[in-house]
């Protein structure tokens, strides 16, 4: 167990060297303006105090592992009202050294049960733990150019799941985007997200089947609108400029939600 994590209970403080090393590895964190960076560090310390990390199959949770995951997980809730309470439905974060092999079980329309293994970089379960591959987390230190980030992906699902369904629409505050009711807010959200998803899906299919140019962003986003939201969040947080160039309406929508104080 790490001495400075224990000491966080008395007075949260992440050592400078450890914090700087995290910012250097995940450059999109270092690009935050000073007040936001200070808030990120503060919330990261509280996240480390409140969550529990488990190494799967002998994987050792070091300070580096816990800090890298915590700092990136905090980024989406940095400006949200409620802050870390968005992650209150779970405590555990399970980290595997390499890929995560998830056992799947599906029942087809003929009521035949199929079981298979799926290799994934991470997974978020409603009211359950977040599972991550440390290899995939490390990779995201150098994949901001492609908009890829497994930690933000899984924690975006957590935010989406706060109202139950993984449907690409997180619970929206009253008056979101000037909407008079929660239903109207949701309709306003989907009026932007759904066309962007449909368009992305179509471009992905055209690229796949007819050799058209593939859209920027992980094509995993074409799986469902819930996955599209998580994939879009990755890009929004790690490569705002490119995301804004390709998905301007989504950038404006996400700013309204993730940075409410800026309007
Ligand atoms: Zn996902």
């Amino acid at each position: 167990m790490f001495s400075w994590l224990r000491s966080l209970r008395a007075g949260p403080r992440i050592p400078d060297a450890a914090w700087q090393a995290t910012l250097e590895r995940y450059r999109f964190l270092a690009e935050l303006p000073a007040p936001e960076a200070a808030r990120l560090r503060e919330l990261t310390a509280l996240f480390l105090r409140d969550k529990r990390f488990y190494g799967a199959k002998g994987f050792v949770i070091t300070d580096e592992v816990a800090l890298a995951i915590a700092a990136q997980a905090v980024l989406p809730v940095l400006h949200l009202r409620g802050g870390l309470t968005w992650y209150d439905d779970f405590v555990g974060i399970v980290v595997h050294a390499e890929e995560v092999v998830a056992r799947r079980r599906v029942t087809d329309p003929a009521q035949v049960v199929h079981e298979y293994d799926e290799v994934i970089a991470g997974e978020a379960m409603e009211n359950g733990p977040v599972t991550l591959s440390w290899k995939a987390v490390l990779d995201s230190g150098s994949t901001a150019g492609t908009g890829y980030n497994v930690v933000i992906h899984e924690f975006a699902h957590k935010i989406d799941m706060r109202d139950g369904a993984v449907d690409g629409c997180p619970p929206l505050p009253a008056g979101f985007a000037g909407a008079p009711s929660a239903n109207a807010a949701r309709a306003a959200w989907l009026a932007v997200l759904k066309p962007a998803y449909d368009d992305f899906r179509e471009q992905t299919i055209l690229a796949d089947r007819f050799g058209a140019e593939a859209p920027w962003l992980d094509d995993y986003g074409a799986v469902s609108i819930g996955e599209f939201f998580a994939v879009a969040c990755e890009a929004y947080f790690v490569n705002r400029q490119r995301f804004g160039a390709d998905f301007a309406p989504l950038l404006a929508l996400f700013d309204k939600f993730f940075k409410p104080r800026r309007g």
Side-chain angles (χ1 to χ4, degrees):
M1 185 63 189
F2 358 71
S3 55
W4 63 268
L5 277 191
R6 265 201 313 269
S7 69
L8 284 179
R9 297 191 181 278
R13 190 166 194 323
I14 299 165
D16 288 341
W19 184 246
Q20 286 310 323
T22 305
L23 297 187
E24 266 159 45
R25 168 129 217 135
Y26 307 96
R27 296 299 303 168
F28 52 91
L29 297 176
E31 287 161 8
L32 291 172
E36 291 185 28
R39 170 101 176 123
L40 185 85
R41 186 169 174 171
E42 199 181 298
L43 286 186
T44 298
L46 296 176
F47 185 98
L48 289 168
R49 186 194 64 190
D50 296 342
K51 299 299 180 215
R52 290 191 65 182
F53 289 81
Y54 303 91
K57 300 182 186 124
F59 179 72
V60 177
I61 305 292
T62 61
D63 292 0
E64 182 198 354
V65 171
L67 189 50
I69 292 169
Q72 295 177 80
V74 162
L75 191 58
V77 298
L78 195 59
H79 302 287
L80 291 188
R81 193 185 294 265
L84 292 176
T85 61
W86 283 84
Y87 300 148
D88 269 357
D89 67 304
F90 74 104
V91 172
I93 296 164
V94 182
V95 189
H96 292 247
E98 300 272 334
E99 285 92 358
V100 181
V101 179
R103 192 87 184 122
R104 302 295 191 209
R105 190 185 162 92
V106 293
T107 307
D108 71 18
Q111 297 306 307
V112 178
V113 175
H114 302 268
E115 289 196 353
Y116 59 99
D117 291 332
E118 189 183 3
V119 176
I120 52 177
E123 188 171 43
M125 294 173 70
E126 194 186 346
N127 298 316
V130 170
T131 302
L132 293 163
S133 144
W134 173 238
K135 183 178 173 296
V137 175
L138 271 179
D139 284 350
S140 56
S142 57
T143 52
T146 55
Y148 175 79
N149 188 290
V150 69
V151 177
I152 290 170
H153 183 102
E154 301 310 336
F155 283 82
H157 279 320
K158 278 291 187 189
I159 291 169
D160 183 1
M161 282 173 193
R162 284 302 290 207
D163 57 0
V166 183
D167 58 0
C169 185
L172 300 168
F176 176 80
S181 68
N183 278 348
R186 184 182 161 82
W189 178 276
L190 290 174
V192 180
L193 189 74
K194 182 75 167 53
Y197 167 63
D198 289 342
D199 189 43
F200 180 75
R201 201 164 165 270
E202 189 176 322
Q203 282 185 56
T204 305
I205 292 167
L206 288 175
D208 237 27
R209 299 193 189 155
F210 305 107
E213 196 187 340
W216 186 68
L217 276 195
D218 188 347
D219 63 6
Y220 187 63
V223 165
S224 67
I225 195 165
E227 292 304 338
F228 180 67
F229 169 67
V231 164
C233 283
E234 297 177 55
Y236 170 76
F237 283 107
V238 305
N239 196 336
R240 180 186 172 84
Q241 204 176 358
R242 179 67 201 267
F243 182 70
D246 284 31
F247 299 92
L250 280 188
L251 182 85
L253 182 76
F254 285 6
D255 274 350
K256 282 192 192 108
F257 178 70
F258 287 111
K259 294 183 176 176
R261 274 167 283 183
R262 290 186 184 177

